[in-house]
Each structure stands twice: as structure tokens, then as C-alpha cells.
Amino acid sequence: MDTAAIRKEIEEMIKEKVRDIGRPDLYREPMVGFVSVDDPSIVNVKDIVGPWHDSPDDQLPGARTIIAYTVPFTREVAMDPGNAEFSGLTWSEAYVIINKNFELISKAVADYLRSKGYEAATVTATNDYDPSDPVSSWSHRTMACAAGLGKFGMNRILITSRGSAVRYCSLLTTADLEPSGPYEGPVCTGLDGGSCRLCLDACPVDALTRWYDGGKFDCQELQEVYHEKMLEELKVDTAGTCGKCIAVCPLAYIE
Ligand code: B12
């Protein structure tokens, strides 16, 4: 089987696995991107993200391609945090369910690649960091950006052609799969001299304007506060999430 056919099968597999979750009320069809480890944004990943970030070889010796995929939320999920007093219940439900499924989807793709004679390594979707220093050794949205799935916005969120209310995952393989082209979809209207400031103003703790000056810790703490409030006041034990800086974005949901 040639690598073009393998690439196509991987795309189909990821789409099918998301359909199999059986929640079209929460998720839309995923998008899949491929990037070579020789791409400058991967070669220079420690300069772009930070020195703590793994190189592809740290995750999988001999890695040749990174497969990034994104699962877009439905309009109902995308808008939920903006309407909710705390974090939205639907947003949190969508967050929890996809986290479990990311593990299953990536494992299925890795098993498939191994059945074709290649090595593959999966990377957990989230919660793989120390809260006292909230960064991961593998940034899925950086991989999605490098694989042409989107471009970063002012709220630090990656905007894709289906919006920014999406979730990301990625995995690595020793197979040489053809890279996707560059991103050509809509971009943040607050960057490059644009005037949009909706996400900055929507943050209840003003975290985005001072991200490296305590903002990211306040963002993290707010999610914990929401978790406790939802437990106490709504009697629902769900994930610590927020998402208000995404819901307010004019590009949160794109058809
Ligand atoms: C730690 C973490 C947090 C921490 C802090 C994050 C931080 N320090 O940036 C806290 C708890 C505060 C947090 C908050 C949130 N998080 Co969070 N988080 C993570 C986690 C586990 C690691 C992110 C990380 O290491 N960040 C370090 C920074 C440096 O990297 P980065 O932000 O990923 O990417 C930056 C660089 O690549 C850089 N960059 C700049 N220029 C360029 C140019 C190029 C070419 C490239 C390639 C990159 C690049 O810009 C990016 C943004 O600054 C990831 C999962 C993962 N493993 O990727 C989820 C993740 C980033 N979180 C996610 C989400 C949804 C959220 C929240 C909305 C909460 C929620 N779940 O409701 C908020 C949003 C806050 C915000 N506006 O950024 C999603 C993002 C979805 C999206 N649409 O972008 C992720 C990807 C989880 C997932 N699997 O989907 N998170």
C-alpha cells in the first residue's frame, strides 16, 4: 500500500471514530493535517514554543511525520460558555467526552500504522502538566498550526477553517506522509492592527492581557473555581473548564 493510500485511510479512520462517538449534538467532522519533522516550524519548535518542548525524536525515535487532528464543536457547544454563569455544562461535557476519545482515536491510528510496518507514538490530549508550571512537553495546537490546520489568534487559541471552538490532538509516526498545504482560512481580526478586542474583554479575570504576568495562573485558577461552583451550586461534577474567550470570538463557530 502506498503512503498516499495510508494517509487517506488515516483521515477516514479519524472521521469514522468521531462519528462513532454518536454525539452529533457535540462534535462535527474532524479535520486532519500532516507535517514533516523537517518543516521549519517543527525543526525550530523549541525556539517557537519553549526549550521544555520535546523534539519529535524525544517522543518517537526516527519520527518522520506528525499527524494533527482537530474536532470542531457544534454551534451549541461553541456558544455555551458565553451564555453560562460559570463554565457551560455542554462545553464541559463535550470536553470530557472528547478527552477519553482522543486516547482511543490516536491509539487506533497508531495500531493501524504499526499494522503497515511503521512505528507510531500517541500523546495524551491534556492534563499532562504540572499546575505550578502549566505547560506541556508537547503542544497539540502548535502541531495543528504547523500542519496547516489553523492560525493563532489574540486569545492564544488556534483558529481553523471551522472555527476556534475545537479540540486538538496529535501523534507521530516513522512513515513519510505527504504534508498538508499551508492554512488558508479566516484569521483573527484583532491581530496585525485589527481592532477586535472581544476575547480580551470577555475574560472574567483579565488573564489574556497579562498572560505571562500571572494571567495564565489566573486562567487556571478560574477553571478550578468554576469546577467547585458547579459542584456546589449546580450539583454537577464536571471538568474544570472555561472557554469564554473562545465563545465570544466572531470566529468561534464557522459552518
Ligand atoms: C497547560 C494547558 C493550559 C494551561 C496554560 C496554557 C499555557 N501556558 O499556554 C491553562 C490551564 C491556563 C489552560 C487554559 C485553557 N486551555 Co488549555 N491546555 C494546556 C495544555 C495541556 C498544554 C499547553 C501548553 O503547553 N502551552 C504552552 C504554550 C507555550 O504553548 P501553546 O499555547 O500550546 O502554543 C503556543 C505556541 O505554539 C505559540 N506560537 C506562536 N507563534 C507561533 C507560530 C507558529 C508557526 C507555531 C507553530 C506556533 C506559534 O503560540 C501558542 C499560543 O501562545 C494543552 C494540551 C496540549 N498538550 O497541547 C491544552 C490546550 C491548549 N487547552 C485548551 C483549552 C480548550 C483551554 C481553555 C479554553 C480552557 C477550557 N478547556 O475550557 C483555556 C484557554 C486559555 C487560552 N486562551 O489559551 C485546548 C486548546 C483548544 C484551542 N481551540 O486552541 C488544548 C490544546 C487542549 C486540547 N487537547 O484541545 N490550558
Side-chain angles (χ1 to χ4, degrees):
M1 191 182 233
D2 66 16
T3 51
I6 291 178
R7 194 178 182 279
K8 192 150 180 38
E9 288 222 359
I10 290 170
E11 283 189 56
E12 286 310 317
M13 184 182 290
I14 292 174
K15 288 178 184 170
E16 190 185 320
K17 293 276 170 206
V18 171
R19 269 197 305 275
D20 288 350
I21 300 172
R23 295 299 301 267
D25 56 322
L26 301 180
Y27 311 114
R28 293 183 287 154
E29 185 174 84
M31 293 182 292
V32 186
F34 300 82
V35 61
S36 163
V37 296
D38 298 331
D39 188 278
S41 56
I42 302 299
V43 172
N44 300 318
V45 72
K46 287 178 192 282
D47 297 328
I48 295 173
V49 182
W52 66 85
H53 198 281
D54 280 349
S55 71
D57 267 344
D58 293 332
Q59 288 282 344
L60 175 68
R64 293 296 308 147
T65 306
I66 295 152
I67 304 163
Y69 60 100
T70 174
V71 179
F73 288 146
T74 57
R75 185 189 290 275
E76 194 194 351
V77 179
M79 297 302 133
D80 190 40
N83 302 325
E85 189 181 354
F86 310 123
S87 167
L89 281 178
T90 314
W91 177 271
S92 296
E93 185 188 18
Y95 178 89
V96 171
I97 294 174
I98 200 64
N99 277 351
K100 279 189 219 131
N101 281 279
F102 273 143
E103 311 300 322
L104 301 175
I105 296 167
S106 291
K107 183 179 178 303
V109 175
D111 287 346
Y112 166 76
L113 282 159
R114 288 182 195 120
S115 78
K116 299 288 169 202
Y118 299 102
E119 291 301 321
T122 62
V123 186
T124 186
T126 193
N127 296 339
D128 55 340
Y129 58 91
D130 173 357
S132 66
D133 181 18
V135 289
S136 171
S137 58
W138 191 256
S139 165
H140 291 298
R141 53 186 171 185
T142 297
M143 298 306 140
C145 178
L149 289 174
K151 203 164 174 202
F152 283 101
M154 198 164 55
N155 55 1
R156 312 174 51 79
I157 297 291
L158 197 70
I159 297 169
T160 74
S161 57
R162 317 253 3 235
S164 53
V166 305
R167 294 290 312 283
Y168 295 100
C169 203
S170 55
L171 66 153
L172 305 93
T173 178
T174 52
D176 261 310
L177 303 175
E178 195 195 330
S180 312
Y183 176 67
E184 285 171 354
V187 295
C188 176
T189 54
L191 292 176
D192 300 329
S195 59
C196 185
R197 292 286 176 277
L198 289 171
C199 58
L200 304 188
D201 296 341
C203 178
V205 291
D206 193 22
L208 295 171
T209 56
R210 45 181 193 86
W211 193 253
Y212 295 105
D213 186 19
K216 68 179 174 185
F217 292 102
D218 291 346
C219 171
Q220 179 171 250
E221 198 184 317
L222 181 69
Q223 295 178 51
E224 285 159 22
V225 169
Y226 281 170
H227 182 213
E228 276 165 34
K229 292 263 187 203
M230 287 161 88
L231 197 57
E232 278 165 25
E233 296 183 28
L234 306 180
K235 311 286 177 226
V236 183
D237 185 9
T238 187
T241 58
C242 176
K244 292 189 193 298
C245 63
I246 298 181
V248 73
C249 175
L251 299 174
Y253 178 90
I254 300 172
E255 204 71 58

